[in-house]
Amino acid sequence: MSLSIRNQIPGTVTAVTPGAVMATVKVRLAGGQDLTAAITLEPVKDLGLTEGTSVRAMMKSTEVALATSRVEGVSIRNQLPGTVSEVATGGAMAVVKVTVDGGELTAAITKDAVGDLGLRTGSAVVALIKSTEVSLATA
């Protein structure tokens, strides 16, 4: 199956914590970082997600925010440090590719944000991704 979601990083489930309707799934990415996905219970069961399951963590580029350093005092659980590898700007929007340990992420952000943050190839950034915006697929 082909998907339009460019952000797909392999990893392994390290924990599943079910709730009444949703579960949090902790994933150790190929580069060693930890990522949290908040998904409904049905896919946890359908995909057979348990500790040790190989998965791909996926998130749309529009759901990846960038910061120039780690952010404290925010509810966003997933903060992956990386380095900008490419910036492509258009009239209003920009696509920023970020190399993180074990993969690459693409963030679709405004052209103004690129300028305000001073982003260019080689810039150190932190990719911010809400756990509710992370989807999982079995590998």
Side-chain angles (χ1 to χ4, degrees):
M1 169 179 16
S2 295
L3 297 173
S4 64
I5 297 174
R6 295 289 166 245
N7 296 322
Q8 299 185 29
I9 301 177
T12 303
V13 173
T14 58
V16 178
T17 306
V21 177
M22 302 276 292
T24 56
V25 181
K26 302 278 187 185
V27 176
R28 174 76 36 89
L29 300 177
Q33 315 92 317
D34 291 316
L35 189 75
T36 300
I39 61 176
T40 58
L41 288 176
E42 189 174 330
V44 170
K45 294 173 188 171
D46 290 348
L47 296 173
L49 299 179
T50 59
E51 188 175 333
T53 303
S54 293
V55 295
R56 283 200 167 280
M58 301 182 295
M59 63 286 313
K60 291 173 58 174
S61 59
T62 54
E63 301 304 333
V64 178
L66 298 177
T68 54
S69 63
R70 191 159 176 75
V71 180
E72 300 297 325
V74 66
S75 65
I76 297 173
R77 300 292 84 192
N78 301 311
Q79 297 193 31
L80 304 176
T83 304
V84 173
S85 59
E86 182 182 334
V87 178
T89 57
M93 296 297 292
V95 172
V96 181
K97 293 191 178 189
V98 177
T99 301
V100 298
D101 287 342
E104 183 174 73
L105 291 173
T106 299
I109 62 176
T110 64
K111 179 180 172 183
D112 290 344
V114 169
D116 291 348
L117 296 173
L119 300 181
R120 63 186 181 285
T121 301
S123 295
V125 293
V126 176
L128 307 168
I129 309 148
K130 289 178 62 173
S131 59
T132 53
E133 300 305 328
V134 177
S135 296
L136 299 174
T138 49

